[in-house]
């Protein structure tokens, strides 16, 4: 930061006053004091609490603390702090100022505030614990902060953690100098995290491991998957993987939250990028423009119950709503403290409608959350009771075989599990093919890319 700015009581006081005004806080009084030989300390008393900072002009550094009581959000003030206090030095060689920051909840809530549940507060969930409170990352950029849709809160963060990637390598990857980094920038970019209601849903480096693992095992096991349904999957990556299959005629994605789809389209374009297969007939660079893709913004429970539930008649749905060869449920985790999660995993009518939605040799796929550890309680005696209940219901309904497999590269805190259920014994036999047979089927099924490389990562 400009050392002249950092040694000016007047300019720093003006910046503090503007910050308070832009943050819609109330300044009661303030005092700035110049130090000898250099440096300034300022403290402002707020109706909500305080703002204070100290400067080190010779180092070009300012340390600032903004503390408030109440429900007002402070993360939206970051652009104002950057603009008002990140004043670039005047000389030509000066670098742009960088800002390292952390956001912490102070005080006592769980066990002290009646009815408080930290799972329902995004700032107490993954967002707060793993992103906002961290002060040892080189890049932490809120791309989308606390955007409210009709159903949930959406956050998107850009993170570069020095434990996994070096800032110098990232900067080198942006140059056009023929270095390995510049030729392979995809290995050095900051991670990109999508969070819904404060919980991490998808990441740039976990995108392929998660979405490939939830889609391709079932798609390649089915002898000829033509029609596929996706429940949830608002960021679009599940549909992207399904569209890579040459046997596909139609994929119907039923997502209740249009806000997540729109935000993902704008800020997570790679999740919906089908440019590698766009040269095929009917395909498009944006996955949802593919002729085989049918995006429906509606309630999945109502869709399946109305069309495939026990009370529905065969005349109640058109040809385009015919049964599916594969149904993939990529939505809430079974242990989420959300009433809709319990319905998705335990409602008798809905579970029966999933069975009815499948063809005779159909396959059901469900992401069923974090893998159990060796010391964990059995699912039926833990927060994963919904997972246990669903497995029992699927067995009782008539699925011939049910398996759970794990993927440990999804960038979550633990390996992630996927349930696959077979309606037919003959289809289930294909689950046990050897690796060579699977690789052969993949080479035949997956649409070739423009550059000839595999679209699977």
């Amino acid at each position: 930061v400009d050392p002249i700015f950092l040694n000016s009581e007047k300019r720093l006081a003006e910046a503090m006053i503007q910050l308070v005004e832009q943050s819609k806080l109330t300044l009661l009084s303030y005092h700035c004091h110049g130090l000898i030989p250099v440096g300034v300390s300022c403290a402002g008393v707020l109706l909500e609490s305080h703002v204070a900072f100290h400067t080190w002009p010779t180092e070009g550094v300012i340390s600032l603390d903004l503390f408030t009581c109440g429900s007002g959000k402070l993360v939206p003030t970051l652009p104002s702090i950057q603009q008002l206090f990140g004043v670039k030095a005047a000389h030509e060689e000066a670098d742009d100022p960088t800002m390292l920051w952390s956001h912490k909840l102070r005080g006592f809530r769980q066990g002290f505030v009646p009815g408080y549940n930290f799972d329902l507060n995004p700032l107490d969930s993954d967002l707060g614990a793993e992103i906002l409170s961290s002060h040892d990352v080189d890049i932490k950029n809120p791309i989308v902060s606390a955007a409210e849709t009709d159903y949930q809160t959406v956050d998107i963060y850009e993170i570069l953690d020095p434990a996994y990637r070096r800032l110098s390598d990232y900067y080198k990857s942006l140059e056009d100098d023929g270095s390995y980094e510049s030729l392979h920038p995809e290995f050095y970019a900051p991670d990109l995290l999508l969070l819904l209601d404060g919980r991490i849903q998808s990441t740039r480096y976990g995108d392929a491991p998660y979405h490939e693992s939830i889609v391709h095992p079932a798609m390649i096991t089915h002898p000829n998957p033509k029609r596929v349904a996706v429940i949830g999957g608002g960021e679009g990556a599940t549909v992207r993987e399904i569209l890579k299959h040459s046997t596909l005629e139609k994929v119907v994605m039923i997502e209740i939250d249009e806000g997540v789809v729109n935000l993902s389209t704008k800020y997570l374009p790679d999740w919906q990028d089908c440019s590698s297969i766009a040269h095929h007939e009917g395909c498009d660079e944006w996955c949802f423009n593919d002729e085989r893709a049918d995006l429906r913004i509606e309630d999945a429970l109502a869709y399946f119950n109305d069309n495939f539930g026990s009370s529905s008649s065969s005349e109640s749905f058109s040809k385009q709503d015919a049964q599916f060869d594969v149904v993939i449920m990529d939505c809430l985790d079974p242990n989420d403290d959300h009433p809709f999660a319990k319905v998705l995993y335990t409602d008798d009518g809905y579970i029966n409608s999933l069975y009815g939605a499948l063809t005779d040799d159909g396959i059901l796929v469900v992401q069923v959350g974090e893998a159990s550890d060796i010391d964990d309680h059995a699912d039926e005696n833990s927060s994963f009771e919904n997972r246990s209940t669903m497995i029992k219901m699927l067995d009782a309904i008539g699925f011939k075989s049910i398996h759970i497999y794990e993927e440990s590269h999804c960038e979550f805190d633990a390996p992630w599990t996927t349930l696959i259920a077979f309606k037919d014994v003959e289809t289930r036999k294909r689950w046990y093919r050897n690796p060579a047979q699977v690789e052969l089927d993949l080479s035949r099924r997956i649409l070739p890319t423009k550059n000839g490389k595999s679209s699977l990562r």
Side-chain angles (χ1 to χ4, degrees), residues 290-363:
D290 190 300
E291 291 181 358
R292 299 168 296 164
D294 181 7
L295 171 61
R296 302 189 181 192
I297 305 299
E298 56 183 290
D299 181 358
L301 263 73
Y303 174 85
F304 281 91
N305 282 325
D306 292 347
N307 292 320
F308 306 104
S310 58
S311 60
S312 65
S313 63
S314 59
E315 294 80 17
S316 67
F317 55 91
S318 63
K319 184 178 181 181
Q320 72 181 58
D321 290 315
Q323 289 175 307
F324 299 98
D325 299 306
V326 178
V327 173
I328 300 175
M329 195 167 98
D330 179 20
C331 40
L332 294 170
D333 299 338
N335 60 317
D336 282 348
D337 191 0
H338 193 293
F340 197 55
K342 185 170 182 65
V343 174
L344 282 171
Y345 288 90
T346 65
D347 182 79
D348 185 68
Y350 171 65
I351 301 297
N352 273 281
S353 73
L354 294 179
Y355 186 86
L358 288 166
T359 55
D360 291 341
D361 58 354
I363 299 174

Side-chain angles (χ1 to χ4, degrees), residues 217-409:
M219 291 291 289
I220 210 67
T221 299
H222 194 282
N224 188 28
K226 296 181 178 180
R227 289 180 52 82
V228 180
V230 177
I231 302 167
E235 71 270 38
T238 303
V239 168
R240 179 196 68 209
E241 295 302 317
I242 294 168
L243 290 170
K244 294 176 181 178
H245 285 259
S246 58
T247 60
L248 184 75
E249 295 178 358
K250 179 69 68 176
V251 53
V252 179
M253 176 175 138
I254 307 102
E255 166 63 61
I256 196 171
D257 196 342
E258 187 175 17
V260 171
V261 177
N262 292 338
L263 286 168
S264 298
T265 300
K266 184 174 182 179
Y267 298 105
L268 302 172
D270 288 350
W271 274 249
Q272 301 174 12
D273 179 14
C274 284
S275 59
S276 66
I277 60 168
H279 57 291
H280 294 282
E281 183 179 356
C283 297
D284 191 87
E285 292 192 354
W286 185 51
C287 296
F288 289 124
N289 278 348
D290 190 300
E291 291 181 358
R292 299 168 296 164
D294 181 7
L295 171 61
R296 302 189 181 192
I297 305 299
E298 56 183 290
D299 181 358
L301 263 73
Y303 174 85
F304 281 91
N305 282 325
D306 292 347
N307 292 320
F308 306 104
S310 58
S311 60
S312 65
S313 63
S314 59
E315 294 80 17
S316 67
F317 55 91
S318 63
K319 184 178 181 181
Q320 72 181 58
D321 290 315
Q323 289 175 307
F324 299 98
D325 299 306
V326 178
V327 173
I328 300 175
M329 195 167 98
D330 179 20
C331 40
L332 294 170
D333 299 338
N335 60 317
D336 282 348
D337 191 0
H338 193 293
F340 197 55
K342 185 170 182 65
V343 174
L344 282 171
Y345 288 90
T346 65
D347 182 79
D348 185 68
Y350 171 65
I351 301 297
N352 273 281
S353 73
L354 294 179
Y355 186 86
L358 288 166
T359 55
D360 291 341
D361 58 354
I363 299 174
L364 174 67
V365 181
V366 185
Q367 78 84 14
V368 286
E370 181 179 315
S372 298
D373 191 76
I374 191 171
D375 296 323
D376 290 342
H377 294 292
D379 280 357
E380 50 264 52
N381 297 320
S382 72
S383 60
F384 285 94
E385 181 183 3
N386 292 340
R387 181 163 63 191
S388 172
T389 301
M390 182 183 216
I391 293 172
K392 293 175 182 177
M393 294 177 71
L394 294 175
D395 179 55
I397 288 170
F399 281 97
K400 296 298 188 290
S401 183
I402 301 169
H403 304 261
I404 289 182
Y405 59 91
E406 297 180 6
E407 165 54 51
S408 58
H409 302 87

Side-chain angles (χ1 to χ4, degrees), residues 33-222:
H33 182 74
L35 304 177
I36 298 175
V38 291
V40 177
S41 288
C42 290
V45 179
L46 306 176
L47 178 64
E48 298 80 4
S49 189
H50 70 265
V51 56
F53 56 83
H54 179 73
T55 71
W56 289 265
T58 55
E59 303 295 333
V61 172
I62 178 171
S63 176
L64 183 146
D65 176 47
L66 176 58
F67 179 40
T68 63
C69 300
S71 58
K73 294 180 171 61
L74 291 182
V75 174
T77 68
L78 289 169
S80 295
I81 296 173
Q82 178 78 42
Q83 175 194 1
L84 294 169
F85 293 94
V87 179
K88 184 177 179 179
H91 58 88
E92 293 182 0
E93 297 80 13
D95 295 325
D96 291 329
T98 58
M99 180 170 66
L100 300 179
W101 59 275
S102 63
H103 175 286
K104 299 179 184 292
L105 289 177
R106 298 179 180 175
F108 302 95
R109 288 166 296 280
Q110 190 76 19
F112 292 86
V113 178
Y116 181 82
N117 184 345
F118 71 91
D119 282 330
L120 302 181
N121 183 356
L123 297 178
D124 247 351
S125 192
D126 294 347
L127 175 62
E130 299 186 25
I131 298 176
L132 298 185
S133 64
S134 175
H135 205 77
D136 55 0
V137 296
D138 291 328
I139 294 177
K140 180 164 55 177
N141 182 23
I143 307 298
V144 175
S145 179
E148 298 286 345
T149 71
D150 292 338
Y151 298 94
Q152 53 201 332
T153 302
V154 180
D155 292 271
I156 300 175
Y157 274 79
E158 187 180 48
I159 301 289
L160 197 148
D161 188 338
Y164 302 102
R165 289 169 188 86
R166 294 187 299 185
L167 185 63
S168 58
D169 289 340
Y170 169 54
Y171 287 150
K172 195 169 185 62
S173 74
L174 302 177
E175 299 175 3
D176 187 18
D177 60 0
S179 64
Y180 182 85
E181 291 85 353
S182 66
L183 296 174
H184 301 279
E186 67 275 13
F187 298 147
Y188 302 100
D191 207 353
L192 204 56
L193 287 74
L194 169 67
L195 301 99
L196 302 180
D197 284 338
R199 293 195 174 275
I200 297 175
Q201 300 296 314
S202 189
T203 71
R204 169 178 279 152
Y205 291 102
D207 163 28
Y210 175 81
H211 292 103
E212 289 184 3
S213 68
I214 198 175
V215 168
H216 300 300
M219 291 291 289
I220 210 67
T221 299
H222 194 282

